[in-house]
Amino acid sequence: PPAPAPPVTRAALDPALVAGRGADVPFLEQEAEHARTDGTVIGPDRTAYTLPSEASGRSAVRLARGQHVELTLPRAANALTLRYAIPDSPTGGGITSPLRVTTGRDSRTITLTSQYAWLYNQYPFSNDPAADLLHPDWWITECGCVPAATTPAPVVTKPFRPSHFYDERRVLLGRTYRAGETVRLTVPPGATAEWTVVDVVGSELVGPPHVRLRAANALLFGADPTGRRDSADALDRAIAFAQRHDLPVYVPPGTYQVNRHVLVDDVTIEGAGSWYTVFRGREVALPTPAPDGSVHTGVGFYGRPAAEGGSHDVHLSGFAIRGDVRERVDTDQVNGIGGALNDSTVRGLHIQHTKVGVWLDGPLSGFVLEDSMIVDQVADAVNLHTGVTGSVVRNTFVRNTGDDGLAMWSEGVDDAGNVVERNTVQSPVLANGIALYGGRDLTVRGNLVADPVREGSGLHAGARFGATPFAGTIAFTDNTTVRAGTYEQNWNIGLGAIWLYALDRSIAADVRVTGDHYLDSTYNAVLLVSEFGVRDDVSITGVTFRGVRVDGTGTSVVSARTAGGASFEDVDVRGVGAVGVNSCGAFHFPPTGSEFVLTDLGGNDGTDNNPWRPGTNWLAPFVPNTLTCDDRPPVVPPPPPSPW
């Protein structure tokens, strides 16, 4: 009899464990490691710089030439999204390699690429696997040293710290296949790639193209749907006509070459759907740097700068943006959506291979991003930067970012009154799933964050990067993290699934963590921390945890490495790997106890792995300020998450 079909999962979990949280997406995902294959399952592994660590669920299938992976469609589908990895070229820059996709009785060959993957070295990273250290004066965990200050200089293995291995490929199948039909992915015997890793396959029933008849049709203004000619000027003409005649711009199915920013203001642009209307462009070197420091331009839809009043009433929907960004240049404006967009909406977009999917520079207000997908970015997926207010990011799916998935950065001016809700963020290679850097009255609600890899974790509030103080109410509500709590190589400790970090200043706002679920945390569920050098200058206070579930930690429930305090009420735990609380305070170890005070408000159930007081409630022995400082307890892998 045939093997059972691989189950449908969300972030490699049973969907029942994350019901009502994360983005409501149109596709169903199946993990390759659960499929039928003659390849090799790799992982699970949460060690940075490995292929399984960046895979969904920390495991995938590696195929040699001639091998395959096969799954069964869980429902009718006419489109697939394949997440995969193939090797880099020996000198960097990537390769292409074929993959055979057999669906039912039909078969086609698609081309995979690693041209947008494989970064190396230290921030801001390199495409060259043979590059020397970009910062020879930085601390290097691998040798426990500052190489420039070490005699003799240590030998750093090359390629150094490879990362960002994966990419995605979307395939329209041409017809609809029934539930129960098979999809087989086969590496041809003559494939260029020595190996192909298949991570996860999404199947989807895509509807017919959207049509808008009463509109400024971009084809009538010279846009080329074959992609042979640049269509940027034609879009400018269509936008100008639409503004004069109070019409939307409609862009029919096709692939349109656009190699610069398209300026948008007081206009609606509709595509036929992100599977049908694609704006694709090259990254173009500028003859001289732009005033903002950019040395490249590329495809993107930009509002006017905030200094010029910004743009207003911009509405973008139903298309894909495919960039050509292969390196990280932080001064470059090569983002999918940029500028200042007031009272504007972005809906139903698919953004891939840009630097940042959506980076808005305020002050601006009233922006909404929803129902979109942002994948395979060199930096963030979304960053609301400097004075963004009254704005919302909701129901958006993010995967494989090179920095924070979703971020709000109040650099000098408060972000305020913003909401990030019901999004899914998977596999940020660097930094955090969702991060707040300063700001006032911010809400992070109902999100699902999975598989952060290094130098960050699932949810984060950081007083750093020149951000304004946190103020008002900072609410983390009804979020779920899974396989978060990464290893911070610079500090040589494990982070929490949620972590608060006081560096530039104290965190003293009303920080409320309510209803969150932290599942299968690699190290701690909660970390409150300050940099050792400022431990006497900053603290973290005013934090409350209420109605939280912790299902499995590799070490503690709470790790406190700062002065201050937090309260806990109805925090239920199970599967704790070490003592419930690791409280180092500000590392002065006074005889009165830790400088971090934990307050028990009742209802905190479950036991830890305390060898001195077995069976004790996880919080009780550590209230109010008991010193229990063990930075690096042995990690005990928790059992898989299960219904509570």
Side-chain angles (χ1 to χ4, degrees), residues 215-289:
N217 190 309
L219 300 183
L220 300 179
F221 298 87
D224 177 11
T226 70
R228 289 191 290 267
R229 291 181 288 104
D230 193 300
S231 293
D233 291 347
L235 288 173
D236 289 345
R237 291 190 291 271
I239 290 169
F241 182 88
Q243 290 168 331
R244 290 195 302 270
H245 297 277
D246 194 24
L247 291 170
V249 174
Y250 174 67
V251 187
T255 297
Y256 299 84
Q257 182 187 160
V258 176
N259 298 312
R260 62 167 172 83
H261 300 167
V262 175
L263 181 65
V264 288
D265 189 9
D266 189 24
V267 68
T268 295
I269 303 177
E270 298 178 4
S274 71
W275 285 88
Y276 300 110
T277 300
V278 179
F279 297 104
R280 186 161 195 163
R282 301 185 306 275
E283 186 178 69
V284 178
L286 298 173
T288 58

Side-chain angles (χ1 to χ4, degrees), residues 245-566:
H245 297 277
D246 194 24
L247 291 170
V249 174
Y250 174 67
V251 187
T255 297
Y256 299 84
Q257 182 187 160
V258 176
N259 298 312
R260 62 167 172 83
H261 300 167
V262 175
L263 181 65
V264 288
D265 189 9
D266 189 24
V267 68
T268 295
I269 303 177
E270 298 178 4
S274 71
W275 285 88
Y276 300 110
T277 300
V278 179
F279 297 104
R280 186 161 195 163
R282 301 185 306 275
E283 186 178 69
V284 178
L286 298 173
T288 58
D292 61 13
S294 294
V295 294
H296 298 93
T297 189
V299 60
F301 291 80
Y302 272 65
R304 299 182 187 278
E308 299 176 8
S311 290
H312 297 75
D313 296 311
V314 174
H315 305 284
L316 309 176
S317 64
F319 56 83
I321 300 173
R322 299 279 186 275
D324 188 36
V325 178
R326 309 182 189 202
E327 60 184 342
R328 179 164 177 168
V329 180
D330 279 345
T331 56
D332 270 354
Q333 285 285 350
V334 285
N335 307 317
I337 306 293
L341 298 175
N342 296 274
D343 303 317
S344 298
T345 59
V346 173
R347 292 189 175 97
L349 265 57
H350 187 279
I351 306 176
Q352 185 180 28
H353 298 155
T354 56
K355 187 183 81 172
V356 176
V358 179
W359 181 291
L360 300 184
D361 290 302
L364 65 94
S365 65
F367 173 77
V368 176
L369 167 68
E370 60 187 355
D371 305 336
S372 296
M373 291 186 65
I374 305 174
V375 298
D376 304 326
Q377 300 295 300
V378 173
D380 305 346
V382 176
N383 197 309
L384 305 183
H385 178 232
T386 308
V388 178
T389 61
S391 296
V392 179
V393 178
R394 71 163 68 94
N395 204 55
T396 289
F397 182 93
V398 171
R399 185 159 55 196
N400 192 36
T401 57
D403 213 305
D404 293 318
L406 306 175
M408 286 187 256
W409 182 13
S410 299
E411 187 182 22
V413 183
D414 278 345
D415 287 344
N418 300 322
V419 178
V420 175
E421 62 181 357
R422 291 295 303 272
N423 305 285
T424 296
V425 181
Q426 289 186 249
S427 302
V429 174
L430 177 75
N432 306 281
I434 302 175
L436 308 179
Y437 302 109
R440 174 170 44 87
D441 295 325
L442 305 175
T443 298
V444 177
R445 178 173 58 220
N447 302 282
L448 169 61
V449 179
D451 298 315
V453 179
R454 72 182 196 277
E455 297 178 50
S457 195
L459 304 172
H460 177 54
R464 52 183 181 145
F465 301 135
T468 61
F470 285 107
T473 300
I474 308 299
F476 292 91
T477 306
D478 294 339
N479 304 287
T480 293
T481 69
V482 58
R483 297 176 298 274
T486 66
Y487 175 71
E488 211 324 306
Q489 60 186 5
N490 300 301
W491 289 339
N492 195 25
I493 63 169
L495 300 184
I498 183 172
W499 65 301
L500 279 64
Y501 181 23
L503 177 62
D504 296 350
R505 55 175 53 89
S506 296
I507 296 177
D510 180 10
V511 180
R512 302 179 185 179
V513 182
T514 308
D516 279 5
H517 296 170
Y518 307 129
L519 312 181
D520 195 1
S521 301
T522 309
Y523 294 95
N524 311 288
V526 177
L527 173 67
L528 305 110
V529 62
S530 62
E531 191 78 39
F532 191 80
V534 299
R535 68 192 187 281
D536 297 331
D537 303 320
V538 300
S539 62
I540 298 175
T541 57
V543 184
T544 60
F545 293 85
R546 181 174 291 111
V548 171
R549 290 180 180 175
V550 176
D551 190 356
T553 69
T555 55
S556 299
V557 179
V558 177
S559 178
R561 299 168 52 87
T562 182

Side-chain angles (χ1 to χ4, degrees), residues 201-218:
V201 178
S203 55
E204 181 176 348
L205 186 61
V206 178
H210 164 73
V211 176
R212 175 73 68 187
L213 296 178
R214 188 178 182 276
N217 190 309

